[in-house]
Amino acid sequence: MKLENVLRLPEDSSIQSYTDATKKNLSLVLSSDTNETLPESFMVFLENLDHGIQHTHNVYKKALEIADILEEESGEKTNKALIYVMAVMHDSGRFHLSDNHSKQDKCERQHNKC
């Protein structure tokens, strides 16, 4: 199944559209009930000023710019849904929540492993 058929992609390049799509997609992953409360780790992600939603939105926009250039130069289409997923998830290990604060701190420092 294609990602485009499963995920709700942002409708435009705005941060609001990106955030809405990301909330909706996370809800779909968590359960079939899209009104389910989002996990605390996602709220941390939304509020994080360093590597939160604004950062992943910027990564997404830059990746789309690069994809447009590659499409123009090569004549081949890029998978925008995959670009979206990679942008959202590229720092996701930073937001692993644990009752063990040393493990939480380690995930922040070594988020690529988490």
Side-chain angles (χ1 to χ4, degrees):
M1 183 175 293
K2 290 186 172 189
L3 283 172
E4 303 89 296
N5 298 336
V6 177
L7 297 176
R8 175 179 173 216
L9 298 178
E11 295 172 10
D12 55 47
S13 63
S14 71
I15 183 71
Q16 188 60 53
S17 178
Y18 181 83
T19 302
D20 291 346
T22 303
K23 286 180 180 178
K24 173 80 171 175
N25 292 327
L26 183 59
S27 294
L28 289 172
V29 169
L30 293 174
S31 77
S32 59
D33 178 10
T34 57
N35 294 319
E36 184 173 314
T37 303
L38 294 173
E40 182 183 352
S41 58
F42 187 73
M43 301 317 290
V44 170
F45 170 66
L46 285 177
E47 296 166 5
N48 186 285
L49 299 177
D50 183 33
H51 279 85
I53 193 91
Q54 182 66 54
H55 169 70
T56 64
H57 177 247
N58 291 338
V59 168
Y60 175 66
K61 288 191 318 184
K62 182 53 80 177
L64 288 178
E65 287 176 25
I66 294 167
D68 288 343
I69 292 168
L70 290 174
E71 282 183 358
E72 189 175 306
E73 289 178 359
S74 71
E76 295 182 28
K77 298 284 279 174
T78 57
N79 186 333
K80 301 286 192 323
L82 188 55
I83 290 171
Y84 166 75
V85 171
M86 291 186 313
V88 170
M89 297 303 296
H90 84 276
D91 275 331
S92 61
R94 288 183 177 272
F95 304 102
H96 171 80
L97 291 181
S98 174
D99 291 336
N100 179 334
H101 292 291
S102 65
K103 183 176 181 182
Q104 179 69 36
D105 291 342
K106 183 177 180 182
C107 275
E108 177 64 25
R109 288 189 314 278
Q110 299 178 357
H111 64 280
N112 57 322
K113 292 180 182 178
C114 290

